[in-house]
Amino acid sequence: MATLEGIAIEQRLVDHHCHGVLMRDLDRAEFESLLNEADRPSPLGTSLFDSMLGLAVRRWCPPLLDLEPHTDADVYLTRRQDLGVEEITRRFLGATNTECFLVDAGLAPESISSPVDLAELAGGEAHEIVRLERLAEDLLNDGVEPRAVPDRLTATLENTTAVGAKSIAAYRTGLDLPAAKPARDDVDAALFDSQPGASGHRLVSPVLSGWLAWTAIEAGLPLQFHVGYGDSDADLRYGDPLRLTPFLRATEERGVPVLLLHNYPFHRHAGYLAQVFEHVFMDVGLATHNTGALSAAVIRESLELVPFGKMLYSSDAFGLPELYYLAAVLFRRGLAAALQSLVSADDATDDDADRISALVLNGNARRVYRLGPEDAA
Amino acid sequence: MATLEGIAIEQRLVDHHCHGVLMRDLDRAEFESLLNEADRPSPLGTSLFDSMLGLAVRRWCPPLLDLEPHTDADVYLTRRQDLGVEEITRRFLGATNTECFLVDAGLAPESISSPVDLAELAGGEAHEIVRLERLAEDLLNDGVEPRAVPDRLTATLENTTAVGAKSIAAYRTGLDLPAAKPARDDVDAALFDSQPGASGHRLVSPVLSGWLAWTAIEAGLPLQFHVGYGDSDADLRYGDPLRLTPFLRATEERGVPVLLLHNYPFHRHAGYLAQVFEHVFMDVGLATHNTGALSAAVIRESLELVPFGKMLYSSDAFGLPELYYLAAVLFRRGLAAALQSLVSADDATDDDADRISALVLNGNARRVYRLGPEDAA
Amino acid sequence: MATLEGIAIEQRLVDHHCHGVLMRDLDRAEFESLLNEADRPSPLGTSLFDSMLGLAVRRWCPPLLDLEPHTDADVYLTRRQDLGVEEITRRFLGATNTECFLVDAGLAPESISSPVDLAELAGGEAHEIVRLERLAEDLLNDGVEPRAVPDRLTATLENTTAVGAKSIAAYRTGLDLPAAKPARDDVDAALFDSQPGASGHRLVSPVLSGWLAWTAIEAGLPLQFHVGYGDSDADLRYGDPLRLTPFLRATEERGVPVLLLHNYPFHRHAGYLAQVFEHVFMDVGLATHNTGALSAAVIRESLELVPFGKMLYSSDAFGLPELYYLAAVLFRRGLAAALQSLVSADDATDDDADRISALVLNGNARRVYRLGPEDAA
């Protein structure tokens, strides 16, 4: 069987959900603010380095910058700046051993790399995932007439080179999406009603998020949903994947994959949905690096019900190159620990563990997104 | 203390919730479709053998068919057909060492064994659990006047030889049942409104499910609720046992046991209810075999709050004889692992572990359903 | 590193949420009724000693009464009575090694000790936490005109010597508190509408619970919320901390700490809130002793997302002196086990473990409640 160290290194990854990396140097406050889903370190609650994620940064990242594991945060950050953002980015992304990134390029403030840049820095390939709500907002912000927007969106999704679409309904109105495609009149009315704010249009409408999700499905695009864990901008109560049940029941017969991202702390709910609905897949991205070494338990819980052909790897990394690396190291280790424990107890064979690893780390994403066969490693 | 192997063999079980076994041979597609709660294997997601349940089938079942553990699925299925359904059923059911099955006979398509057949095949006894919604539907389908149905149902429940009743409200309208018995007028109206579909009447009414549950309680019948995990026909959001809180608060003084079945992923919620309400009991049936070797964690979590006098064993097996066996093996092992870990850490004594095992695997069900003392093993 | 035994003894505790201890002798029925959150032992479900809490009582408490671990419950209770309530209380409270108790004195039937008495028995100091709903009810019960109540409450909270306030909204109307301070007219109307029951006024009003919480925040008082696990009087569905999201979002900029108590089985939800909101803190009190040795898993799960500067210790003990002791022993052991496991796997250093222990067991509470520096131990 692939040993824990083996899974940690050998199997090339498909990271089916990540964002761009930040291509500029950072001071400690900026670094901490990008570390997890808090907006900034709390003056009431001490440093964000004192967290499972902080411990993981200090355990795993210093050696890639030629320092000892568990190096003090300030020493680490100084060394990081000395090497410069391009060098450390190449080191961290390269060490993930990722052969393919699927990049949500819709979250891209200044200095964020494009998918192409990311792939080049990492030594892999990249494909784009189109962010649905952003696509509609861009059209409105570009001055397209509201009544022309739906046809433009449909055409874009039908002709896109993106390998999938992503809905951020959970950040806008929650996951109670409709069990049928909203009527065109209702969509027109919702678009007409949208008023731009200081930073342009921001669509907060279950009709629009629902229509976009249905349109992506009709275009045959694998459809990702932000589910569960994220920043304080989302109300986690409305991010429980069970809220998608009517939508999933209504879309199952289409045969278009639906991918539930993150899911924590509802990862058992996601595993259930992945078992009972043919077209549902899941990952535990974002939660993996945020829970550090304790992610092993989260990964093990996810495996309880999910068919192994329906579990995927993602980092959901954004900004800090460390996060791509930590997600990869921690997910490989957590998966390997779960599988080795099964093998040790004679609950699975070495061959089972190898096959399951290959599916989860690479093969499932290749099949679902039709990425073609795995490259020679 | 009863060792892990000891609990795995010696203590005879009461399986307080199961269904009939399928008495005909099966091809691979049929076998997979009966394996878990998915309707069928997903063309998108590979074989259902690649799951914790599939690993458990391959680990535990082949030896009973004279094959090596971890045998390939196709070899296993061929051997299964060669031996024939009656022979394998005797082997698997006999190996559960179950002395008493409480059978929900209300889910019985063709070729499903009756409780009597099941008991005979297993070398144990069987009692019936009456499925409430089905009882009402049968009366309507038999042409009984809607206004005559309530009295007929009441009389049936008061005079039944069944040892308990089961509500599938979770599959019909969810667990938000009323805190008082619905008025007769409302029940009459709901029955009058029911229109038969292609396969007869199907009651989807909180009034009727509520009235049936209250009527069972009034008849003094231990009342089971489907809770949590099941197939995609139920919306899991409405299957959280906490939704039963008003009903439980209102029925507590009656002293009639209420039994929460399955519960996963809400098993901690069920443990809480079993602690704070005198008449509430729970199990983790169905989830035990579906989560395979990882069920040990589910069982351990269940034990956090539940008084040990209120945890029961059930398989919730249906159709495949393998499922009765896997549920028994995995629950015995999971319970034994949890107890042995407590004993090893000096958090409990051998005597504690033996007493708790005997309660959970047998004694609690005997007391709750008034089944009389345990047979000599 | 502080060894498991070391953490179990050396680090002095701040118990940031507990109640008074019962200063009279008890028979077995009374003892069991105070043991956990059930109203009384269930005749259907055997003794409450058969639970994780009961095992923990028998494992940890007899040695403090000069008996062997795992002593039979009746022998233990006899010895307890022989020694007398004052002697056993001194022994158990002293053995917690708590230097500071923050006491909710609002739950105080006859024979319950005051914070001052508690501190004296334990050899530590004590501060009061004011129970918001109780404060308002006391004014009404004392005959204060409803329209005078709000100003009296505001003045009381602005001038209190209490170090914090506690909301029991979860027990009254649930945690869906308003995102803005309710208008004075609505508060007046709610107070005017309140009618006293047999035991006086009992406020069940989201307007009043919301107004009280907002008033405490405006007074700068650290604000505790009962969340999750409690007795059957609360409906656990309405005690999910995620329901507080709008309130937390609206109060974050005030910089006043909000402390989520208990949280089980929603402790992962609480950890998320503590990460993404600057002013949110959490504990797993009450659940720790109720889940006995299995609390180690609950504590480990809590650590997944919570910044270590935002996790606190509380016992939530009430009545039985054993509960203060068990909470302390079990939380120390659970935290130590989690940290030692990280150190053993090289996921943290000894220094990390020591620093985290000191924060969680003492320093975080001192900082949040402005209690001054830790005493010399």
Side-chain angles (χ1 to χ4, degrees):
Chain A
M1 172 205 182
T3 62
L4 195 146
E5 284 308 310
I7 291 186
I9 297 169
E10 289 167 21
Q11 172 66 57
R12 299 201 79 190
L13 298 175
V14 177
D15 181 349
H16 90 110
H17 174 62
C18 65
H19 304 272
V21 70
L22 189 63
M23 294 307 293
R24 63 177 175 79
D25 292 319
L26 302 167
D27 64 21
R28 177 160 179 163
E30 289 174 308
F31 185 88
E32 286 206 39
S33 80
L34 282 163
L35 200 55
N36 66 18
E37 298 300 301
D39 288 340
R40 52 188 173 280
S42 164
L44 295 168
T46 79
S47 162
L48 291 175
F49 273 100
D50 265 333
S51 65
M52 289 308 304
L53 172 55
L55 293 179
V57 169
R58 287 180 40 240
R59 163 66 185 90
W60 293 105
C61 297
L64 267 73
L65 307 192
D66 318 312
L67 299 170
E68 291 297 308
H70 310 295
T71 297
D72 169 80
D74 285 324
V75 173
Y76 174 76
L77 291 169
T78 302
R79 172 69 182 161
R80 197 181 187 283
Q81 274 188 310
D82 290 348
L83 286 170
V85 66
E86 187 159 336
E87 174 63 19
I88 62 163
T89 302
R90 281 192 195 283
R91 291 190 187 188
F92 283 120
L93 292 184
T96 63
N97 195 17
T98 304
E99 64 176 16
C100 183
F101 298 88
L102 306 191
V103 185
D104 170 6
L107 179 65
E110 53 88 35
S111 304
I112 289 292
S113 71
S114 71
V116 171
D117 294 339
L118 186 72
E120 192 182 309
L121 285 158
E125 55 172 326
H127 298 282
E128 193 177 330
I129 301 290
V130 61
R131 194 174 173 107
L132 292 171
E133 285 79 4
R134 175 66 181 269
L135 198 64
E137 288 159 0
D138 282 351
L139 291 177
L140 290 172
N141 290 333
D142 289 349
V144 175
E145 283 286 306
R147 66 183 162 194
V149 167
D151 288 345
R152 289 280 294 273
L153 287 168
T154 303
T156 300
L157 294 175
E158 286 173 350
N159 298 299
T160 184
T161 58
V163 297
K166 178 183 170 191
S167 165
I168 55 165
Y171 269 97
R172 299 298 173 81
T173 68
L175 292 177
D176 293 302
L177 295 188
K181 193 179 182 184
R184 178 62 184 264
D185 281 357
D186 296 331
V187 175
D188 286 343
L191 285 165
F192 187 81
D193 287 347
S194 176
Q195 298 299 326
S199 48
H201 284 271
R202 187 173 181 279
L203 298 177
V204 182
S205 154
V207 167
L208 289 176
S209 279
W211 184 86
L212 286 162
W214 274 97
T215 303
I217 292 275
E218 288 179 351
L221 281 175
L223 176 58
Q224 302 176 340
F225 281 101
H226 175 99
V227 177
Y229 183 43
D231 64 37
S232 67
D233 211 30
D235 188 328
L236 193 57
R237 276 182 68 199
Y238 301 104
D240 183 338
L242 296 181
R243 291 180 182 268
L244 284 170
T245 304
F247 178 84
L248 296 175
R249 205 177 274 150
T251 54
E252 186 175 20
E253 66 178 18
R254 309 266 175 157
V256 178
V258 171
L259 303 108
L260 309 177
L261 307 176
H262 327 318
N263 294 299
Y264 182 94
F266 307 117
H267 43 291
R268 282 170 159 166
H269 299 191
Y272 158 80
L273 294 170
Q275 184 188 82
V276 301
F277 290 109
E278 280 187 49
H279 63 327
V280 173
F281 296 76
M282 70 174 287
D283 72 41
V284 287
L286 189 59
T288 302
H289 58 271
N290 270 279
T291 59
L294 298 179
S295 60
V298 175
I299 293 164
R300 197 181 58 238
E301 289 173 8
S302 302
L303 296 175
E304 287 167 357
L305 280 194
V306 68
F308 303 138
K310 295 181 142 206
M311 178 87 175
L312 278 70
Y313 167 71
S314 88
S315 65
D316 193 25
F318 170 73
L320 297 182
E322 282 89 343
L323 302 182
Y324 302 79
Y325 178 60
L326 287 175
V329 168
L330 291 166
F331 190 79
R332 288 176 195 272
R333 289 178 65 86
L335 182 64
L339 296 176
Q340 282 192 317
S341 160
L342 293 175
V343 171
S344 300
D346 194 29
D347 287 313
T349 66
D350 281 347
D351 284 351
D352 292 329
D354 286 341
R355 188 179 66 257
I356 296 166
S357 299
L359 285 171
V360 171
L361 297 175
N362 192 304
N364 289 335
R366 294 207 158 271
R367 184 176 68 255
V368 169
Y369 294 97
R370 301 181 188 177
L371 300 176
E374 183 175 358
D375 294 351
Chain B
M1 170 206 183
T3 61
L4 197 146
E5 284 308 310
I7 291 186
I9 298 169
E10 289 167 21
Q11 173 65 57
R12 300 201 78 190
L13 298 175
V14 177
D15 181 350
H16 90 110
H17 175 62
C18 65
H19 303 272
V21 70
L22 189 63
M23 295 307 294
R24 62 178 175 79
D25 292 318
L26 302 168
D27 63 22
R28 177 160 180 163
E30 289 175 308
F31 185 89
E32 286 206 38
S33 80
L34 282 163
L35 200 57
N36 66 17
E37 298 301 301
D39 289 339
R40 53 190 172 279
S42 164
L44 294 168
T46 78
S47 162
L48 291 176
F49 272 100
D50 263 334
S51 66
M52 288 308 304
L53 173 55
L55 292 179
V57 169
R58 286 180 39 240
R59 163 66 185 89
W60 292 105
C61 297
L64 267 74
L65 308 192
D66 319 312
L67 299 170
E68 292 296 308
H70 309 296
T71 296
D72 170 79
D74 285 325
V75 172
Y76 174 76
L77 291 169
T78 302
R79 172 68 181 162
R80 196 181 188 282
Q81 274 188 311
D82 290 347
L83 285 171
V85 67
E86 187 159 335
E87 174 63 18
I88 63 162
T89 302
R90 281 192 194 283
R91 291 189 187 190
F92 283 121
L93 291 184
T96 64
N97 195 18
T98 304
E99 64 178 15
C100 183
F101 298 89
L102 307 191
V103 185
D104 170 7
L107 180 64
E110 53 88 35
S111 306
I112 288 292
S113 71
S114 71
V116 171
D117 295 339
L118 186 72
E120 191 181 311
L121 285 159
E125 55 173 326
H127 298 283
E128 192 176 332
I129 300 289
V130 61
R131 194 173 173 107
L132 292 171
E133 284 78 3
R134 175 65 182 269
L135 199 64
E137 288 158 2
D138 283 350
L139 290 177
L140 290 172
N141 290 334
D142 290 349
V144 176
E145 283 285 307
R147 66 183 163 194
V149 166
D151 288 346
R152 288 280 294 272
L153 287 168
T154 303
T156 301
L157 293 175
E158 285 172 351
N159 299 298
T160 182
T161 57
V163 297
K166 179 182 170 191
S167 165
I168 55 165
Y171 268 98
R172 299 297 172 83
T173 67
L175 292 177
D176 293 302
L177 295 189
K181 192 179 181 184
R184 178 62 184 263
D185 282 357
D186 296 332
V187 175
D188 285 345
L191 285 165
F192 188 80
D193 287 348
S194 175
Q195 298 298 326
S199 48
H201 284 270
R202 187 172 181 279
L203 299 177
V204 182
S205 155
V207 168
L208 289 175
S209 279
W211 184 86
L212 286 162
W214 274 97
T215 303
I217 292 276
E218 288 179 351
L221 282 176
L223 176 58
Q224 302 176 340
F225 280 100
H226 175 99
V227 177
Y229 182 43
D231 63 38
S232 67
D233 210 31
D235 188 328
L236 193 57
R237 277 182 67 199
Y238 301 104
D240 184 337
L242 296 180
R243 291 181 181 268
L244 284 170
T245 304
F247 178 85
L248 296 175
R249 205 178 274 149
T251 53
E252 185 175 21
E253 66 177 18
R254 310 265 174 159
V256 178
V258 172
L259 302 110
L260 310 177
L261 307 175
H262 326 318
N263 294 297
Y264 182 95
F266 307 117
H267 44 290
R268 282 172 159 164
H269 298 192
Y272 159 79
L273 294 170
Q275 184 189 83
V276 301
F277 290 109
E278 280 187 50
H279 63 326
V280 173
F281 297 75
M282 70 174 286
D283 71 41
V284 287
L286 189 60
T288 303
H289 57 271
N290 270 279
T291 59
L294 297 179
S295 60
V298 175
I299 293 164
R300 198 181 58 240
E301 288 173 7
S302 302
L303 296 175
E304 287 167 356
L305 280 194
V306 68
F308 303 138
K310 295 180 140 207
M311 178 86 176
L312 278 72
Y313 167 71
S314 88
S315 65
D316 194 26
F318 171 74
L320 297 181
E322 281 90 342
L323 301 182
Y324 302 79
Y325 178 60
L326 287 175
V329 168
L330 291 166
F331 190 79
R332 289 175 193 272
R333 288 178 65 87
L335 182 64
L339 296 175
Q340 283 191 317
S341 160
L342 293 176
V343 171
S344 300
D346 194 27
D347 286 313
T349 66
D350 281 347
D351 284 352
D352 293 330
D354 287 340
R355 189 179 65 258
I356 295 165
S357 298
L359 284 172
V360 171
L361 297 176
N362 191 303
N364 289 334
R366 293 208 159 271
R367 185 177 67 255
V368 169
Y369 293 98
R370 302 181 186 176
L371 300 176
E374 183 174 357
D375 294 351
Chain C
M1 171 207 181
T3 61
L4 195 145
E5 285 307 310
I7 291 186
I9 297 170
E10 289 167 20
Q11 172 65 57
R12 299 201 78 191
L13 298 175
V14 177
D15 181 349
H16 90 111
H17 175 61
C18 66
H19 304 272
V21 69
L22 189 63
M23 294 307 294
R24 63 177 175 78
D25 293 318
L26 302 167
D27 63 21
R28 176 159 181 164
E30 288 175 308
F31 185 89
E32 286 205 39
S33 80
L34 281 163
L35 200 56
N36 66 17
E37 298 300 302
D39 289 339
R40 53 190 173 279
S42 163
L44 294 169
T46 78
S47 162
L48 291 176
F49 273 100
D50 265 333
S51 65
M52 288 310 303
L53 173 55
L55 292 178
V57 170
R58 286 179 40 240
R59 163 65 186 90
W60 292 104
C61 297
L64 266 75
L65 307 191
D66 318 311
L67 299 171
E68 292 296 310
H70 309 296
T71 297
D72 170 80
D74 285 324
V75 173
Y76 174 75
L77 291 169
T78 301
R79 172 69 182 161
R80 197 181 187 284
Q81 274 188 311
D82 290 346
L83 286 171
V85 67
E86 188 159 334
E87 174 63 18
I88 63 163
T89 302
R90 281 193 195 282
R91 292 189 187 189
F92 283 121
L93 292 184
T96 63
N97 195 18
T98 305
E99 65 177 16
C100 183
F101 297 89
L102 307 191
V103 185
D104 169 6
L107 179 65
E110 52 87 35
S111 305
I112 288 292
S113 72
S114 71
V116 171
D117 295 339
L118 186 72
E120 192 182 309
L121 285 159
E125 55 173 326
H127 298 283
E128 192 177 331
I129 300 289
V130 60
R131 193 173 172 108
L132 292 170
E133 284 79 4
R134 175 65 180 270
L135 199 64
E137 288 159 0
D138 283 351
L139 290 176
L140 290 172
N141 290 334
D142 290 349
V144 176
E145 282 286 307
R147 65 184 162 193
V149 167
D151 288 346
R152 288 279 294 272
L153 286 169
T154 303
T156 300
L157 293 175
E158 285 173 351
N159 299 298
T160 183
T161 57
V163 298
K166 178 182 170 190
S167 165
I168 55 165
Y171 269 97
R172 298 299 173 81
T173 67
L175 292 176
D176 293 303
L177 294 188
K181 193 179 181 183
R184 178 63 184 263
D185 282 355
D186 295 332
V187 175
D188 286 344
L191 285 165
F192 188 81
D193 287 348
S194 175
Q195 299 298 325
S199 48
H201 285 271
R202 187 173 181 279
L203 299 177
V204 182
S205 154
V207 167
L208 289 176
S209 279
W211 184 86
L212 286 162
W214 273 97
T215 303
I217 292 275
E218 288 179 350
L221 283 174
L223 176 57
Q224 301 177 340
F225 281 101
H226 175 98
V227 177
Y229 182 43
D231 63 37
S232 67
D233 211 31
D235 188 328
L236 192 57
R237 275 182 69 199
Y238 300 104
D240 184 337
L242 296 180
R243 291 181 181 267
L244 285 170
T245 303
F247 178 85
L248 296 174
R249 205 178 274 149
T251 54
E252 186 175 20
E253 66 177 19
R254 309 265 175 160
V256 178
V258 171
L259 303 110
L260 309 177
L261 308 176
H262 326 318
N263 294 298
Y264 182 95
F266 307 117
H267 44 290
R268 282 171 159 165
H269 299 192
Y272 158 80
L273 294 169
Q275 183 188 84
V276 300
F277 290 110
E278 280 187 48
H279 63 327
V280 173
F281 297 76
M282 70 174 287
D283 72 40
V284 287
L286 189 59
T288 303
H289 56 271
N290 269 279
T291 58
L294 298 179
S295 60
V298 175
I299 293 165
R300 197 181 59 239
E301 287 174 8
S302 302
L303 296 175
E304 286 166 358
L305 280 194
V306 69
F308 302 138
K310 296 181 140 206
M311 178 86 175
L312 278 71
Y313 167 71
S314 88
S315 66
D316 194 26
F318 171 74
L320 297 181
E322 281 90 341
L323 301 182
Y324 302 79
Y325 178 60
L326 287 175
V329 168
L330 291 166
F331 190 79
R332 288 176 195 273
R333 289 177 64 86
L335 182 63
L339 296 176
Q340 283 192 317
S341 159
L342 293 175
V343 172
S344 299
D346 194 29
D347 287 313
T349 66
D350 281 346
D351 284 352
D352 292 329
D354 287 340
R355 190 180 65 259
I356 296 165
S357 298
L359 284 171
V360 171
L361 296 176
N362 192 304
N364 289 334
R366 294 206 159 271
R367 184 177 68 254
V368 169
Y369 293 97
R370 302 181 187 176
L371 300 176
E374 183 174 359
D375 295 351

